[in-house]
């Protein structure tokens, strides 16, 4: 299925971006390219929808334009970062980096007056929002697969239908 494979390819690309950023951060290379901090963060909002769409299109071939709404959290978070975080100076990005990976290091004065902290509140909850999103998408994936197995009169753990068995393996 060509459409499902495209979603899988995009999912793998998201993993590449995330792993690259993690590699830069844990090997201290991020200090050399501090302007790249959080460049892959928006892709975290793509992983669950892409996995969902991959599984769904592996067992059902139709794609409706309304399904593009699955990418709305990614677009919103990307816009937020483009407007609120990416334009910040490198000192602010340095502080963001060390607060995540080296909290024992002191922050530097970045010269930014955070007069409106309510604009930045969502950054404190982004991990929880991603976790909730992933749990919902995985639950829906399991439910869709369960229905497909039931529709074909197969046990959920059956391997008689290779497409369904593969989709189940991808989720777990």
């Amino acid at each position: 299925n060509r459409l499902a494979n495209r979603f899988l390819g995009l999912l793998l690309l998201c993993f590449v971006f995330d792993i690259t950023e993690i590699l830069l951060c844990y090997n201290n290379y991020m200090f050399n390219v501090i302007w790249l901090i959080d460049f892959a963060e928006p892709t975290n909002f793509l992983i669950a929808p892409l996995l969902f769409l991959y599984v769904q299109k592996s067992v059902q071939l139709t794609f409706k334009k309304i399904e593009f709404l699955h990418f709305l959290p990614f677009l919103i978070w990307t816009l937020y970062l483009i407007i609120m975080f990416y334009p910040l100076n490198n000192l602010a990005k340095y502080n963001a980096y060390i607060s995540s990976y080296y909290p024992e290091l002191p922050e530097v004065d970045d010269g930014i007056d955070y007069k409106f902290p309510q604009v930045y509140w969502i950054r404190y909850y982004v991990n929880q929002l991603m976790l909730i999103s992933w749990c919902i998408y995985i639950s829906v994936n399991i439910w869709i697969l369960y229905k497909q197995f039931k529709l074909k009169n197969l046990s959920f753990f059956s391997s008689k239908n290779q497409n369904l068995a593969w989709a189940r393996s991808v989720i777990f």
Side-chain angles (χ1 to χ4, degrees):
N1 182 347
R2 201 172 210 180
L3 183 59
N5 288 339
R6 288 184 183 180
F7 287 128
L8 181 61
L10 289 171
L11 178 64
L12 293 175
L13 192 61
C14 289
F15 288 145
V16 167
F17 288 150
D18 287 341
I19 291 169
T20 300
E21 183 173 356
I22 290 168
L23 181 71
L24 288 170
C25 289
Y26 279 113
N27 288 317
N28 293 330
Y29 291 121
M30 190 58 78
F31 285 115
N32 298 324
V33 287
I34 199 71
W35 52 272
L36 281 178
I37 191 71
D38 290 344
F39 79 92
E41 190 172 276
T43 62
N44 293 331
F45 283 105
L46 282 178
I47 292 171
L50 286 171
L51 179 63
F52 168 76
L53 290 169
Y54 170 70
V55 168
Q56 188 182 39
K57 300 312 162 205
S58 293
V59 297
Q60 304 168 348
L61 296 177
T62 60
F63 182 78
K64 301 172 188 110
K65 288 186 180 187
I66 195 158
E67 290 179 296
F68 282 116
L69 290 177
H70 290 287
F71 301 118
L72 195 57
F74 164 75
L75 292 174
I76 291 170
W77 188 244
T78 301
L79 282 174
Y80 173 82
L81 289 176
I82 287 171
I83 294 168
M84 300 304 299
F85 183 72
Y86 294 147
L88 294 177
N89 63 39
N90 284 344
L91 293 176
K93 292 177 183 178
Y94 171 85
N95 286 338
Y97 173 54
I98 64 167
S99 69
S100 294
Y101 289 90
Y102 301 100
E104 69 279 1
L105 292 178
E107 290 188 357
V108 297
D109 181 20
D110 56 19
I112 297 175
D113 184 16
Y114 297 100
K115 288 182 181 175
F116 304 104
Q118 63 271 22
V119 174
Y120 297 98
W121 71 269
I122 196 163
R123 288 197 58 83
Y124 300 115
Y125 299 104
V126 69
N127 292 333
Q128 292 87 337
L129 291 172
M130 280 188 282
L131 180 63
I132 291 167
S133 166
W134 289 8
C135 289
I136 290 170
Y137 274 106
I138 289 172
S139 300
V140 172
N141 262 336
I142 292 169
W143 180 68
I144 287 172
L145 279 178
Y146 178 77
K147 282 180 28 180
Q148 289 296 318
F149 273 103
K150 196 171 182 178
L151 189 67
K152 297 185 186 295
N153 292 323
L154 295 172
S155 163
F156 185 75
F157 300 102
S158 171
S159 59
K160 290 182 180 177
N161 185 312
Q162 288 183 342
N163 283 344
L164 292 177
W166 170 252
R168 183 191 59 230
S169 296
V170 167
I171 292 173
F172 293 109

